Amino acid sequence: GISYSTTFSNSTYFSGNIDQVSYGGVNGYTFCLILKTDGTVYACGYNPYGALGINNTTSQTTPVQVKGVNGNLTLSNIKQISAGYYHSVFLDNSGNVYACGHNANGSLGINSTTQSNVVVQVKGVLGSGTLSNITQISGGFHHNLFLNNSGNIKSETLYGLFLTPSPNASQINTLNKRKLTNHGNCTI
């Protein structure tokens, strides 16, 4: 497989202004998201499904800036990033959620299973409106988890977005079976 190993701390790209780093992928085919303190996002690594959000599927060995929604301008005002299997999830300062990449199981939450190499806004419950009022995100294997400002957990899969006020033991057991951890062997 392809493995990317990059040192960012002394990089001319970032000069110590890194807020978060998140790795995704599996079996050596990995990618990395980097959130700067100014709310912009950079990405590098394996990209055949568009997880880097750069409007193409070319893998990158050095960090490139993630483009904005639908490939316009650049992504900004981001406060949290999360890399999933081969998809990426972004949370902005207003509580809106965006995603790009692999989508065979509907993990992008865009009411389809078509992959996207550009960042798109995640739809709301059952594909209605857009997902909002989110405070935390987590990219999973073929799904994502979201925590909203009321303390509710939302998840997106091929079966659509569901909302639960408080997960019961059965729901937690189901979530645990979905491999919530990210995979990859990138190092910083």
Side-chain angles (χ1 to χ4, degrees), residues 42-66:
Y42 287 75
C44 63
Y46 189 64
N47 192 41
Y49 303 105
L52 303 186
I54 57 174
N55 204 17
N56 65 53
T57 55
T58 304
S59 294
Q60 303 292 316
T61 56
T62 57
V64 294
Q65 193 164 11
V66 175

Side-chain angles (χ1 to χ4, degrees), residues 2-188:
I2 299 170
S3 180
Y4 296 90
S5 179
T6 309
T7 301
F8 300 117
S9 60
N10 295 321
S11 168
T12 57
Y13 294 103
F14 305 109
S15 303
N17 295 318
I18 298 173
D19 188 37
Q20 296 173 23
V21 175
S22 184
Y23 287 106
V26 66
N27 297 329
Y29 296 95
T30 56
F31 67 98
C32 174
L33 301 174
I34 305 113
L35 175 62
K36 290 182 59 179
T37 55
D38 67 1
T40 58
V41 181
Y42 287 75
C44 63
Y46 189 64
N47 192 41
Y49 303 105
L52 303 186
I54 57 174
N55 204 17
N56 65 53
T57 55
T58 304
S59 294
Q60 303 292 316
T61 56
T62 57
V64 294
Q65 193 164 11
V66 175
K67 296 196 178 289
V69 176
N70 299 320
N72 299 314
L73 304 173
T74 57
L75 195 59
S76 60
N77 297 313
I78 301 300
K79 73 174 187 178
Q80 187 181 0
I81 54 175
S82 188
Y85 176 59
Y86 290 127
H87 68 280
S88 301
V89 188
F90 312 95
L91 175 64
D92 74 12
N93 290 317
S94 298
N96 300 306
V97 181
Y98 305 89
C100 59
H102 190 266
N103 194 34
N105 293 72
S107 56
L108 299 186
I110 57 174
N111 210 25
S112 82
T113 54
T114 304
Q115 76 182 35
S116 179
N117 61 20
V118 296
V119 174
V120 291
Q121 190 164 9
V122 174
K123 294 193 178 293
V125 176
L126 301 177
S128 175
T130 56
L131 191 59
S132 59
N133 300 315
I134 301 301
T135 59
Q136 290 185 24
I137 57 173
S138 181
F141 197 69
H142 286 297
H143 69 284
N144 300 306
L145 293 175
F146 308 107
L147 181 67
N148 71 12
N149 59 5
S150 298
N152 297 324
I153 296 172
K154 297 181 179 190
S155 177
E156 57 189 1
T157 66
L158 178 60
Y159 305 105
L161 201 58
F162 72 81
L163 171 65
T164 178
S166 178
N168 61 37
S170 172
Q171 291 165 325
I172 290 172
N173 190 35
T174 300
L175 293 174
N176 287 339
K177 288 179 183 175
R178 291 187 182 159
K179 300 181 181 177
L180 299 181
T181 57
N182 291 329
H183 302 275
N185 64 358
C186 292
T187 56
I188 296 183

